Amino acid sequence: MKVPGARLYTEIAGEGPPLVLVSGGGGDAGMYEDAVPPLAERFTVITFDRRGNSRSPLVEPDASLTVSRQAADVVAILDHYGIDRAFVFGNSAGAIITVELLIRHADRLRGAVVHEPPLVGVLPDGRDSPEQRAFDELAGIAEREGPMQGFAAFSVMTLPKAPRLFTNPTGRAVTAGALRVAMGGAALARRVTGRRPSGMFRLMGNVDILLTRELPVFMSYQPDLKALETVTIPWCLATGHDSVGRPYYRPAHVLSERFGVPCEEFPGGHTPYQTHPREFADLLTTILDGFDPPKT
């Protein structure tokens, strides 16, 4: 589907109340592939590749990637499918987009779950926080060493247990070289077979836009907290059981306390829909049922 500056790839499955799943930085619809089947037992589940990522190309090189534009993309998807209001779950950068949806487009939402948004600007120590330093270090690695090395550092931040190789410059350089060889081989295979790239190679293709364009946008985003106070639809924050101490954990709890909304705990860490898809789907269903109890 066409939106200003991009073409969006979307997928839809199941029947029931509509639920949009918004992926985080560098991700795409495939991030949720294991969680969609159990969720589709109860919901009409919509996933998509965010603009500029994977199968959603920018049609203009300088097309906007702002948070407000990406929130408007979600609204455009609802319009495309003829949906008035939907539930939304957003993870990481997708959680930041979900916050913007709550602020600007609450009339299109039935409820929202904001999972581990890296909103370091809402922390009491803000730009002096350890969380900010972690993201600054990530940006510095990408700038000094290269985007593939930056992706390795990003993986340390997000994966439940990243390889030790990713934690030092030499290991990142070796990893980056191996990834570049693999990407070259995959590109050749695609030219020969005509097959689309697999999920991992799609994510590798998103590294540059993630680190050079998206990361600065998301890390500089400041939500309109006064507008968020006026939101009347049900919503909650959420973090992972294993995410304590990670840079995307504390902002959710700070926002939860400020607005008096729950902060739910999902199993696993930053990507429970991949590591615990059934448990993730069951808990998300319970939360959404609490927002909008099914009619008996």
Side-chain angles (χ1 to χ4, degrees), residues 75 78-79 83-86 100-111 230-233:
V75 173
L78 298 182
D79 291 341
I83 295 169
D84 180 35
R85 297 167 64 237
E100 182 71 2
L101 284 165
L102 283 163
I103 292 169
R104 307 296 176 200
H105 304 285
D107 60 320
R108 303 301 301 272
L109 305 182
R110 297 175 68 161
T230 68
V231 171
T232 58
I233 66 159

Side-chain angles (χ1 to χ4, degrees), residues 213-272:
R213 294 193 60 189
E214 286 200 324
L215 188 63
V217 165
F218 287 116
M219 295 315 300
S220 63
Y221 172 75
Q222 290 287 346
D224 185 339
L225 298 180
K226 288 187 177 180
L228 200 54
E229 287 177 352
T230 68
V231 171
T232 58
I233 66 159
W235 67 287
C236 72
L237 283 302
T239 53
H241 177 268
D242 299 330
S243 292
V244 178
R246 298 290 184 109
Y248 34 75
Y249 181 84
R250 193 160 58 113
H253 291 269
V254 168
L255 289 172
S256 172
E257 183 174 351
R258 171 167 182 152
F259 293 106
V261 298
C263 190
E264 304 288 351
E265 183 178 271
F266 278 85
H270 197 50
T271 56

Side-chain angles (χ1 to χ4, degrees), residues 118-143:
L119 288 169
V120 295
V122 306
L123 298 174
D125 41 355
R127 300 303 175 186
D128 296 321
S129 66
E131 289 84 355
Q132 181 64 57
R133 289 196 294 273
F135 285 111
D136 289 344
E137 181 181 1
L138 170 61
I141 289 171
E143 184 176 355

Side-chain angles (χ1 to χ4, degrees), residues 184 186-195:
L188 177 61
R190 287 198 300 276
R191 287 196 292 271
V192 172
T193 66
R195 293 178 181 174

Side-chain angles (χ1 to χ4, degrees), residues 13-174:
E15 296 182 0
L19 166 62
V20 181
L21 305 175
V22 188
S23 63
D28 63 21
M31 300 292 285
Y32 291 108
E33 63 183 0
D34 291 334
V36 166
L39 285 169
E41 296 169 8
R42 284 283 314 279
F43 301 96
T44 299
V45 183
I46 299 171
T47 52
F48 67 104
D49 297 355
R50 291 189 297 98
R51 58 174 48 228
N53 288 278
S54 299
R55 298 155 291 189
S56 290
L58 299 177
V59 298
E60 303 165 3
D62 58 349
S64 173
L65 292 174
T66 63
V67 176
S68 60
R69 178 62 258 173
Q70 299 208 47
D73 286 348
V74 176
V75 173
I77 291 170
L78 298 182
D79 291 341
H80 176 75
Y81 285 109
I83 295 169
D84 180 35
R85 297 167 64 237
F87 295 115
V88 174
F89 172 91
N91 165 257
S92 197
I96 292 178
I97 294 168
T98 304
V99 168
E100 182 71 2
L101 284 165
L102 283 163
I103 292 169
R104 307 296 176 200
H105 304 285
D107 60 320
R108 303 301 301 272
L109 305 182
R110 297 175 68 161
V113 179
V114 179
H115 184 264
E116 299 195 348
L119 288 169
V120 295
V122 306
L123 298 174
D125 41 355
R127 300 303 175 186
D128 296 321
S129 66
E131 289 84 355
Q132 181 64 57
R133 289 196 294 273
F135 285 111
D136 289 344
E137 181 181 1
L138 170 61
I141 289 171
E143 184 176 355
R144 293 189 308 271
E145 301 177 22
M148 284 299 180
Q149 289 91 327
F151 181 76
F154 180 73
S155 299
V156 172
M157 185 180 288
T158 57
L159 291 177
K161 197 171 184 179
R164 184 174 296 179
L165 200 65
F166 291 4
T167 61
N168 63 80
T170 301
R172 288 192 293 266
V174 170

